[in-house]
Amino acid sequence: MSPSIGSRLSSLAMVSAVALALAACTDGNARTDAKASENEPRAVRVETVTFQPQTRERTFVGTVRPRIESDLGFRVAGKIAERLVQQGQRVEKGQPLARIDAVDLGLQKQQAEAELAAAEVNLASSLAQDKRTQDLRAAGWATQATLDTQLARTADARGRLDRAKRALDLAANQLAYATLTADSDGIVTATLAEPGQVVAAGTPVVRLARSGDREAVVAVPEALIERVRTGTATVSLWSHAGKTYPATLREFAASADVATRTFQARFTIQDADDGVVIGMTATVTVGEPASARVARLPISALYSEGRGPSVFVVDAATGKLTLKPVSVAGYDGREVLISDGVAEGDKVVTLGVHKLDPSQRVRIVDAR
């Protein structure tokens, strides 16, 4: 063997030895890393158990309205002389709201008074003539027909007086109608006519919301009619998000709205205070009164090994896993409804449960 060949063999032997040493070192490091990885707690995502009614609450957005809101107008025609209230003003029963020009109405009353005075004089004259005619009849100087005619004139005069009194009462009422007054305590929600405008009898001039009950008015889809009629309702206001008011269904429309195909429902707000202002946006929440309470979890949280459904519950302090059998009340889309087996506040693993073992240690990671 030549010296050059021997030298090359020696070099190859040294390279092989180094490669074997490196391989042994790498394999040892890999076994060490695998062992360390096995001992490291596994990252899991969890969801906190919260029990709620099995039938989900439904919410409807509406507005706060008064129970009774009326458009008030004059009972006689005329030209509006002045409007005495503004929108949003609180008024009392009997308070004047607007007036029309009452000159013609005043003249009509004066005419009725003159007619009454004439009727009274005519009746007094006729009664005096009755006395004279009766005396003449008693003395034989007048016939019975003459007496009857005179008594008939007196009856007509008495009827004319009654008609004059009624005409005066009507004229007085017409004059009183020239002032539009509030028929109850309330708030002016709209002014519908301005001074100088000529209005007919009954034309709306002021819209008045009566003091008293406040209601939340909402539109209900056809599919939720029965739930709204039988459920328990509460009302919350956008301006007071942290406060709720109990409510009762007072009125439900007999037919659907032609445009929206929804049914109007009016809920009376119980214990409404000054914070419940007409026109505010209200949210009506309707829930089942006797609905069972369940915990909603993703279906991926269920674990089954042939002995019924279970879930993994994590001890947040120690990272220890506990496999708990649960009772499933049903399914809703991608959620499972659990009625028993877990407690309020338990943290349940929601992903990769079939790769877990109860003996493992885990660490909770933020689902985000």
Side-chain angles (χ1 to χ4, degrees), residues 29-66:
N29 290 337
R31 287 196 298 271
T32 302
D33 292 343
K35 186 174 181 181
S37 178
E38 290 178 359
N39 294 330
E40 183 180 354
R42 182 167 188 156
V44 294
R45 289 182 179 179
V46 301
E47 188 167 316
T48 303
V49 173
T50 301
F51 281 88
Q52 55 188 276
Q54 182 171 347
T55 303
R56 290 199 175 196
E57 296 178 333
R58 298 288 182 172
T59 59
F60 307 92
V61 177
T63 55
V64 175
R65 303 304 308 167

Side-chain angles (χ1 to χ4, degrees), residues 140-210:
W141 295 101
T143 63
Q144 183 63 40
T146 302
L147 178 60
D148 292 341
T149 301
Q150 178 56 41
L151 293 177
R153 291 194 187 101
T154 303
D156 181 68
R158 187 174 285 108
R160 178 185 173 187
L161 178 62
D162 290 340
R163 290 193 300 272
K165 289 180 179 179
R166 301 296 179 270
L168 179 59
D169 291 340
L170 288 173
N173 289 341
Q174 296 285 311
L175 183 59
Y177 296 155
T179 300
L180 179 63
T181 58
D183 58 356
S184 66
D185 297 344
I187 299 174
V188 176
T189 57
T191 54
L192 308 174
E194 297 296 333
Q197 183 176 343
V198 178
V199 295
T203 301
V205 175
V206 172
R207 183 170 295 157
L208 180 67
R210 292 190 180 185

Side-chain angles (χ1 to χ4, degrees), residues 221-238:
E222 183 176 350
L224 300 176
I225 291 177
E226 192 60 30
R227 179 173 298 182
V228 169
R229 284 178 170 170
T230 60
T232 303
T234 58
V235 173
S236 60
L237 304 176
W238 288 13

